[in-house]
Amino acid sequence: MALFYRDEYERRLALVRKRMEAAGVEVLVACDPANMNYLTGYDGWSFYVPQCVVVAGDAEKPIWIGRKMDVNGARHTTWIGEDNIIGYPEDYVQSPVKHPMNVVGEEIRRRGWGGRSVGVEMDAYYFTARSFVELQKTLPDARMVNADLLVNWVRLVKSDAEIALMKEAGRIAEQVMKTAIDRLEPGVRECDAVADVYRAQMAGTPQFGGDYPSIVPMMPTGEKTSAPHLTWTDAPYEDEQMVNLELAACRHRYHCPMARTAYLGKNPPEKLVSLAEHTVAGLDLTLAAIEPGMRCEQVEEIWRQHIAKAGLEKESRIGYAMGLNYPPDWGEHTASLRPGDKTVLAPNMTFHMILGMWMDDYGFECSESFRVTETGCATFADFPRKLFVKG
Amino acid sequence: MALFYRDEYERRLALVRKRMEAAGVEVLVACDPANMNYLTGYDGWSFYVPQCVVVAGDAEKPIWIGRKMDVNGARHTTWIGEDNIIGYPEDYVQSPVKHPMNVVGEEIRRRGWGGRSVGVEMDAYYFTARSFVELQKTLPDARMVNADLLVNWVRLVKSDAEIALMKEAGRIAEQVMKTAIDRLEPGVRECDAVADVYRAQMAGTPQFGGDYPSIVPMMPTGEKTSAPHLTWTDAPYEDEQMVNLELAACRHRYHCPMARTAYLGKNPPEKLVSLAEHTVAGLDLTLAAIEPGMRCEQVEEIWRQHIAKAGLEKESRIGYAMGLNYPPDWGEHTASLRPGDKTVLAPNMTFHMILGMWMDDYGFECSESFRVTETGCATFADFPRKLFVKG
């Protein structure tokens, strides 16, 4: 059984069809696992083999095509019914001569859609170069159209049912961050602190459990704070050092990321304390200014003007749309809080605003996941915004 | 500093160059994160943006090209030196008009290699359709060659330094499986059991910590055992039910997967007990038969003949090469223990042999990760092979 009621999926599908029409896409082949989930409910760790959901303008329901071994998983998790679940045989898996996208193309032809315009997600993680070539080969009469992010843009505005899950993720995120900060001590190995963070992510709360976030916990310290995507080691945390905490919680694939900074030791440098105060004040006032009708770039401008007063600047974007996702990223790759982004904020759009200020030898970051409301915005988690000093 | 000594990387590079020559590839663009790590040492959770390692026949060292933000991560983890680390600016990230593969193509041209044959990994997870199109666009004079799995085939035979890490992963895997079996009880929520498994994966041993495995823990029970890639829920485990445990441990990105089956309750069905005995006997005798010089298909045949005596058969492959990897898969996509695979076993090839026997309403699975030795094979972990009955 799919996670949401059927009308939720039908509403999503109607919105996707509208965008397909505007983009001249008659048949959509969605390989992004989050888009597959969004349209059908399908949820499984099977995206390491090619799979997709096909949406045609005149077919009532989407079609799931995946490995035969995963057909039962599709039956368990989708709303689309037996006729729309198609498994390809085992000899298509990792074969140099056959490819699952041949099966997809043949199914599209079998349904009489082989001469149509076919939308593909050109930059989706699991739509490889070979997937594209093989699909084209099996559909010589189709016109290929780039439909990258077509479904993602529909995902930007969440339903109330989705928001409810993100609020649950927010409750778990509070536990995750509390666990991390409690556990951090000089002498504790990085891997042991990360181990407890993972446990908190999955154990969730007594009322509901957690799901795996799309990105692993990041808790760098020392000189590695300048290399944002290095993961942990088994070295112990040291005294009088900063630790960046980029963590998240997930509930049924819906995320609530959260970043904080901790200082291990009694004597945080004055410049770090001051940077933390500026940054938190900026986060507070930028969140307070958000309201529906604003453009994404305007949100960023409020922040930029604030830090300019302190003689600071930040190069990269300060936030991005997020929600439903699979590894390797929880971001939706649509709206960003950055100069030039004209997306107009609307209720139930959801973002992660992350303010990371990096100087030569120190830095501070603090973030909030939030949804736009009818009148402003509301964060998913409730956790102090400050520099955590563990002296 | 890279994980291994420089001569290890130089040896790998020499083997890759030899294969490049045989395949007519003058410049290799490797986007598979495991191949990037293998050639340079690079290790970071940055594969959610396009990045690659470029190897040219006449350049001394590989070139890392990634996001500017990750240049420090490359400095920290690679052996290739400042001149060979190239960062692309932030405005190439998730842009509809620019793409990081344009930077890669331009760098190849800048070095005078624009007219050469360029090998690309057509079916690598993070080499998207758009990556391919953009690279071609920037290299109009290059001849594109499919170099899929070229580096993976070199990875098949491990060095002693790699084997040492896989042995450490084996020690962690023992702890992980013990934790899972200890924790499984009727009434315990699936998410809580998974939470403790994750903790054991990362905490490792007192001597060395764990890294994140490329696949999440799978611990399905009840009717979900027939849907192998569904993840956990927050429902409690029930009495008198089977649980499949497909777990792993990882050390510096080197894996040791391990599968076992547990029965919660006092009365495992006789047919399950009998299936477990057959399967374990088959695993024992198949491992005992392995020696260098055999072909992969011969290993599978030994198993197949064994279960045929009990009137059983198994459709899919019984094992695959594995080792260094990143999500979404720890398999190397090269040699498989299956009919038709003529790969000749050689010392230090490493495999996961997984025997899963699925009947209509019950099943049993048991696996071992092993390396081929000079005289036979040796498993990485030491854990009882049996049905675990928790009565």
Side-chain angles (χ1 to χ4, degrees), chain B residues 25-280:
Chain B
V25 172
E26 292 170 304
V27 178
L28 175 69
V29 177
C31 290
D32 177 330
N35 292 341
M36 291 177 63
N37 177 318
Y38 191 72
L39 291 166
T40 67
Y42 182 69
D43 181 26
W45 189 284
S46 55
F47 41 90
Y48 66 91
V49 293
Q51 54 179 16
C52 67
V53 161
V54 177
V55 178
D58 51 356
E60 188 202 351
K61 293 177 184 174
I63 304 158
W64 179 96
I65 306 177
R67 189 177 181 181
K68 200 172 260 177
M69 179 187 284
D70 295 314
V71 160
N72 269 339
R75 286 184 185 130
H76 271 283
T77 58
T78 68
W79 66 281
I80 55 181
E82 195 64 27
D83 290 352
N84 294 302
I85 297 174
I86 292 159
Y88 58 78
E90 206 53 28
D91 58 349
Y92 280 86
V93 177
Q94 295 164 23
S95 159
V97 292
K98 298 170 155 192
H99 194 275
M101 280 296 144
N102 304 144
V103 176
V104 173
E106 282 152 20
E107 183 63 25
I108 287 172
R109 284 203 335 235
R110 198 180 69 77
R111 297 199 181 217
W113 308 330
R116 297 193 181 177
S117 64
V118 173
V120 289
E121 299 171 313
M122 289 297 286
D123 223 10
Y125 293 118
Y126 303 107
F127 188 62
T128 64
R130 185 172 170 211
S131 289
F132 181 45
V133 169
E134 298 281 356
L135 187 63
Q136 280 184 306
K137 211 164 67 185
T138 320
L139 289 173
D141 301 328
R143 187 170 61 86
M144 293 287 165
V145 180
N146 183 5
D148 207 35
L149 305 181
L150 187 148
V151 181
N152 302 49
W153 279 105
V154 176
R155 279 161 49 204
L156 177 57
V157 179
K158 273 67 180 175
S159 69
D160 292 342
E162 292 179 290
I163 295 291
L165 292 176
M166 294 179 77
K167 285 181 181 173
E168 291 181 345
R171 295 289 82 73
I172 300 174
E174 294 158 3
Q175 296 303 313
V176 168
M177 188 57 77
K178 182 176 184 309
T179 299
I181 291 172
D182 286 351
R183 191 72 169 90
L184 283 174
E185 296 287 350
V188 168
R189 297 186 306 173
E190 291 176 24
C191 61
D192 288 319
V194 165
D196 281 346
V197 164
Y198 265 113
R199 188 162 74 152
Q201 286 175 327
M202 311 312 159
T205 75
Q207 290 74 40
F208 43 83
D211 200 350
Y212 59 91
S214 296
I215 304 179
V216 295
M218 303 285 184
M219 300 172 66
T221 186
E223 60 175 4
K224 283 193 300 173
T225 52
S226 66
H229 299 122
L230 300 189
T231 49
W232 58 92
T233 70
D234 45 19
Y237 284 102
E238 289 176 27
D239 206 10
E240 304 298 338
Q241 277 199 328
M242 276 170 34
V243 185
N244 302 332
L245 298 156
E246 291 195 13
L247 308 176
C250 186
R251 175 77 177 143
H252 288 305
R253 310 299 330 126
Y254 284 84
H255 288 76
C256 177
M258 186 194 291
R260 291 291 183 273
T261 301
Y263 185 82
L264 306 187
K266 287 193 193 347
N267 306 302
E270 201 41 59
K271 58 189 181 181
L272 175 61
V273 172
S274 159
L275 179 65
E277 281 166 9
H278 271 302
T279 309
V280 168

Side-chain angles (χ1 to χ4, degrees), chain B residues 318-351:
Chain B
I318 64 163
Y320 49 84
M322 61 84 208
L324 169 69
N325 232 326
Y326 286 84
D329 194 5
W330 54 55
E332 291 178 341
H333 298 193
T334 52
S336 284
L337 306 176
R338 62 176 161 188
D341 193 314
K342 310 284 183 200
T343 310
V344 177
L345 296 185
N348 279 4
M349 288 186 181
T350 55
F351 291 88

Side-chain angles (χ1 to χ4, degrees), chain A residues 7-289:
Chain A
D7 61 353
E8 167 99 13
Y9 294 104
E10 286 175 340
R11 190 187 53 75
R12 295 172 177 186
L13 198 55
L15 292 169
V16 166
R17 284 190 209 282
K18 203 181 261 180
R19 281 189 181 262
M20 283 169 61
E21 212 179 304
V25 172
E26 292 170 303
V27 178
L28 175 69
V29 177
C31 291
D32 177 330
N35 291 340
M36 292 178 62
N37 177 317
Y38 191 71
L39 291 166
T40 68
Y42 182 69
D43 180 27
W45 189 284
S46 55
F47 40 90
Y48 66 90
V49 293
Q51 52 178 18
C52 67
V53 161
V54 178
V55 177
D58 50 358
E60 188 202 351
K61 293 176 184 174
I63 304 157
W64 179 97
I65 305 177
R67 190 177 181 181
K68 200 171 259 175
M69 178 188 282
D70 294 315
V71 160
N72 270 338
R75 286 185 184 127
H76 271 284
T77 57
T78 69
W79 66 281
I80 55 180
E82 194 64 26
D83 291 352
N84 294 303
I85 297 175
I86 292 158
Y88 59 78
E90 204 55 25
D91 58 347
Y92 281 87
V93 177
Q94 295 164 20
S95 159
V97 291
K98 300 168 152 193
H99 195 274
M101 280 295 144
N102 304 144
V103 176
V104 173
E106 281 152 21
E107 183 62 27
I108 288 172
R109 283 202 336 233
R110 199 182 67 77
R111 299 199 180 217
W113 307 332
R116 297 193 180 176
S117 64
V118 173
V120 288
E121 298 172 313
M122 289 296 286
D123 222 10
Y125 292 117
Y126 302 106
F127 188 62
T128 62
R130 185 171 169 211
S131 289
F132 181 45
V133 169
E134 297 282 354
L135 187 64
Q136 280 184 307
K137 211 164 64 183
T138 322
L139 289 173
D141 300 329
R143 187 170 61 84
M144 294 289 166
V145 180
N146 183 7
D148 206 37
L149 305 181
L150 187 148
V151 180
N152 303 48
W153 278 104
V154 176
R155 280 161 49 203
L156 177 58
V157 179
K158 272 67 178 176
S159 69
D160 291 342
E162 292 179 288
I163 295 291
L165 292 175
M166 294 178 77
K167 285 180 181 173
E168 292 181 346
R171 295 290 81 73
I172 300 173
E174 294 158 4
Q175 296 304 313
V176 168
M177 189 57 78
K178 183 176 183 311
T179 299
I181 292 171
D182 286 352
R183 191 73 168 90
L184 283 174
E185 296 287 350
V188 168
R189 296 186 305 173
E190 291 177 23
C191 61
D192 288 319
V194 165
D196 282 345
V197 164
Y198 265 112
R199 187 162 76 154
Q201 286 176 326
M202 310 312 159
T205 75
Q207 290 74 43
F208 44 82
D211 200 349
Y212 59 91
S214 296
I215 304 179
V216 295
M218 303 284 184
M219 301 172 64
T221 186
E223 61 175 4
K224 284 194 300 176
T225 53
S226 67
H229 300 121
L230 298 191
T231 49
W232 58 91
T233 70
D234 45 20
Y237 285 102
E238 288 175 29
D239 205 14
E240 304 297 338
Q241 277 200 327
M242 277 171 33
V243 184
N244 301 332
L245 297 156
E246 291 195 13
L247 307 176
C250 185
R251 173 77 176 143
H252 289 305
R253 313 295 336 123
Y254 284 84
H255 288 76
C256 176
M258 186 194 291
R260 292 291 184 273
T261 301
Y263 185 82
L264 306 188
K266 289 194 189 351
N267 304 304
E270 202 41 60
K271 58 189 183 182
L272 175 61
V273 172
S274 157
L275 179 66
E277 281 166 9
H278 270 302
T279 309
V280 168
L283 180 55
D284 290 345
L285 74 84
T286 308
L287 287 171

